Amino acid sequence: MTSLPTHTPYDGSSKLFTIGLKPLALADWIEVDEHLLPFLAEKQRLYAEMPGTVFVEEDGTRDAQREVLDLLEAHLPRAFPETHRRASGGVEVIGAAGNPEGDFAKAPLVAASLLVQEDLILMRRGEDGWRLAAGSLCFPSSWSLLEKFGKPLQQIHAPVPGFGPGTRPAELINRMFDGLQGQAVERYNWSIQSGDALYHPLSNVERNERAASRPSRFADGDANAHAFIRVERQTLRKLPVSGDILFTIRIHLDPLAALAHHPDRATLAPAFAAQLEALDIAQLDYKGLTSDRDRLVGVLNQMANAA
């Protein structure tokens, strides 16, 4: 039986191209599910094959990385005793492989990343604002860690319609980062991709080329068979010692066809379709949905009518 989606922000509760931050209880900071070991195995594969692509760090960030690892090691055995246990070297995931080899593997953020399904990004305040100072990004949602490394928020978000330098959302995000104290916050983002690949990068050059040609994601036209909903659960938490901000990204991948089995599909499917229909051309191009939006809306409307 197909499992139901864990999160459905496309129901209108988390609209695309909005900030949408909400308070988050620290007890709910990290998510663990039955995909933990496959996610960690995929991280191990990526670390072995392309460590310089999925991990970056500035000099002077190791103490903050250690702070992240310490927070996770304190939280995980208490919150998830069935999957995480204390060991002589700290905390381990039951049934997971050991840490990778290489100099990069000595980074505490790498060790931290292999305890959780989330990707982990460290943001540090500088003269130009908050910049990406270190990160483990094994499951990018159409962006490149190397392209964003060292850049401030306004440049990181430059390709996002309505969020470029000088826009009100860009200013609001910087203020929110500045104002973040002991509380944690979360937001959701979502997109649609062809296939179920967790590692889903896309550089700015590739994004521009895709927008220019606007190719379909689904070569045979069968979106219902090949489309996967990619939900990002994002959290922000200020580290108490370093003052850096930890940005976590947890990916959930669900077949679009799974919505047909959802008990709330009669309201969920048309709400999803309405979200897609509300996107303008720049937003559709950014999400890579220009050629497929109408096709996807049709599939969702069929689900709703069959309920």
Side-chain angles (χ1 to χ4, degrees), residues 15-143:
K15 294 183 179 180
L16 294 177
F17 304 101
T18 61
I19 298 173
L21 288 173
K22 299 175 183 178
L24 171 67
L26 290 180
D28 301 323
W29 174 38
I30 298 297
E31 290 186 337
V32 172
D33 63 19
E34 69 274 14
H35 304 296
L36 174 62
L37 292 182
F39 270 54
L40 297 186
E42 178 65 357
K43 286 188 178 186
Q44 291 276 14
R45 182 187 72 81
L46 293 165
Y47 278 140
E49 295 181 5
M50 54 183 76
T53 300
V54 297
F55 176 73
V56 295
E57 62 175 340
E58 287 183 359
D59 292 339
T61 60
R62 287 285 176 100
D63 286 346
Q65 293 181 43
R66 182 72 225 186
E67 198 175 353
V68 173
L69 181 58
D70 289 345
L71 286 173
L72 286 171
E73 289 185 335
H75 175 76
L76 293 170
R78 180 176 64 249
F80 307 105
E82 67 281 3
T83 56
H84 294 77
R85 64 187 174 198
R86 301 194 182 281
S88 58
V91 168
E92 64 183 12
V93 177
I94 299 170
N99 285 350
E101 298 180 354
D103 289 341
F104 81 98
K106 298 174 184 176
L109 202 64
V110 171
S113 75
L114 291 171
L115 295 176
V116 294
Q117 289 163 261
E118 283 82 354
D119 281 323
L120 307 172
I121 304 293
L122 269 181
M123 303 297 295
R124 175 163 289 184
R125 190 72 162 86
E127 293 183 0
D128 296 331
W130 293 88
R131 70 181 184 279
L132 198 165
S136 166
L137 184 76
C138 291
F139 309 139
S141 296
S142 297
W143 62 285

Side-chain angles (χ1 to χ4, degrees), residues 72 129 139 158 172 174 182 234 250 293:
L72 286 171
F139 309 139
L172 283 174
N174 270 300
Q234 305 173 355
R250 169 71 157 83
R293 190 257 302 271

Side-chain angles (χ1 to χ4, degrees), residues 158-182:
V160 184
F163 280 74
T167 61
R168 185 170 181 272
E171 294 174 1
L172 283 174
I173 292 172
N174 270 300
R175 275 191 241 134
M176 289 175 181
F177 270 61
D178 285 338
L180 193 64
Q181 298 301 325

Side-chain angles (χ1 to χ4, degrees), residues 271-293:
F272 195 168
Q275 294 297 305
L276 291 173
E277 289 181 316
L279 298 178
D280 63 30
I281 189 65
Q283 294 167 338
L284 287 168
D285 278 347
Y286 180 80
K287 288 290 184 179
L289 295 173
T290 309
S291 297
D292 295 308
R293 190 257 302 271

